[in-house]
Amino acid sequence: MTIELGSIVEGVVTGTAKFGAFVQMGEESGLVHISEISNDFVKDVNDYVKEGDKVKVKVISRDNKGKIGLSMKQALTPEEKNLAKKKAAEPETVILESAHKKTEGQSFDDMLSQFMKDSNEKIESAKQRKNVRQGKTRR
């Protein structure tokens, strides 16, 4: 089975490296460069694929030596691309439990007063450390 340029095929990840993933497609194998794995920033290939994973790839290049360049992100259907965009656009909800518990039941004025007090203490402490370093300590 010869794999033609532009065709979309399924393959199995046979290995990963810092720069991409190797995919076996029948008798032939190719490389999915790290930049062709996802539309998102890929810091580590292993966050997206691991050895033995079945993946859908598009053949994007083939050189004189027979090396095959593959792309996972170009193999996505328009529906899959839209789903990935929607998922990326959804903000992640983060709840800071400790901050929420501290301020629970306090009015805005109480929280502001506490913030100002904490800020002033930190500023004074920083000034004292600066004076000690410069040899301007007060006794």
Side-chain angles (χ1 to χ4, degrees), residues 12-67:
V12 178
V13 176
T14 57
T16 61
K18 289 186 215 175
F19 52 84
F22 296 96
V23 178
Q24 184 73 38
M25 305 152 296
E27 297 106 34
E28 299 191 70
S29 65
L31 171 71
V32 180
H33 188 265
I34 191 168
S35 65
E36 292 294 332
I37 289 179
S38 173
N39 287 322
D40 298 330
F41 174 73
V42 179
K43 184 175 183 176
D44 184 7
V45 174
N46 295 304
D47 292 340
Y48 289 83
V49 293
K50 61 182 183 293
E51 200 170 322
D53 285 354
K54 288 185 179 181
V55 293
K56 186 166 58 167
V57 294
K58 180 176 181 177
V59 180
I60 57 172
S61 67
R62 185 177 214 137
D63 68 7
N64 301 354
K65 298 177 185 176
K67 292 182 181 177

Side-chain angles (χ1 to χ4, degrees), residues 115-133 136 138:
F115 172 79
M116 293 298 292
K117 179 182 168 205
D118 293 344
S119 295
N120 288 334
E121 288 173 1
K122 289 177 183 178
I123 290 170
E124 280 302 314
S125 175
K127 284 180 183 177
Q128 287 175 359
R129 284 192 308 273
K130 179 182 173 191
N131 289 337
V132 167
R133 275 189 259 132
K136 300 178 184 175
R138 289 183 244 152

Side-chain angles (χ1 to χ4, degrees), residues 43-100:
K43 184 175 183 176
D44 184 7
V45 174
N46 295 304
D47 292 340
Y48 289 83
V49 293
K50 61 182 183 293
E51 200 170 322
D53 285 354
K54 288 185 179 181
V55 293
K56 186 166 58 167
V57 294
K58 180 176 181 177
V59 180
I60 57 172
S61 67
R62 185 177 214 137
D63 68 7
N64 301 354
K65 298 177 185 176
K67 292 182 181 177
I68 301 173
L70 305 170
S71 172
M72 289 171 55
K73 68 181 181 182
Q74 290 184 32
L76 296 174
T77 64
E79 294 83 25
E80 291 170 328
K81 286 180 186 176
N82 287 337
L83 183 62
K85 283 181 186 175
K86 285 180 185 175
K87 185 178 179 183
E90 292 176 6
E92 194 171 317
T93 305
V94 177
I95 299 173
L96 303 174
E97 291 294 327
S98 60
H100 180 70

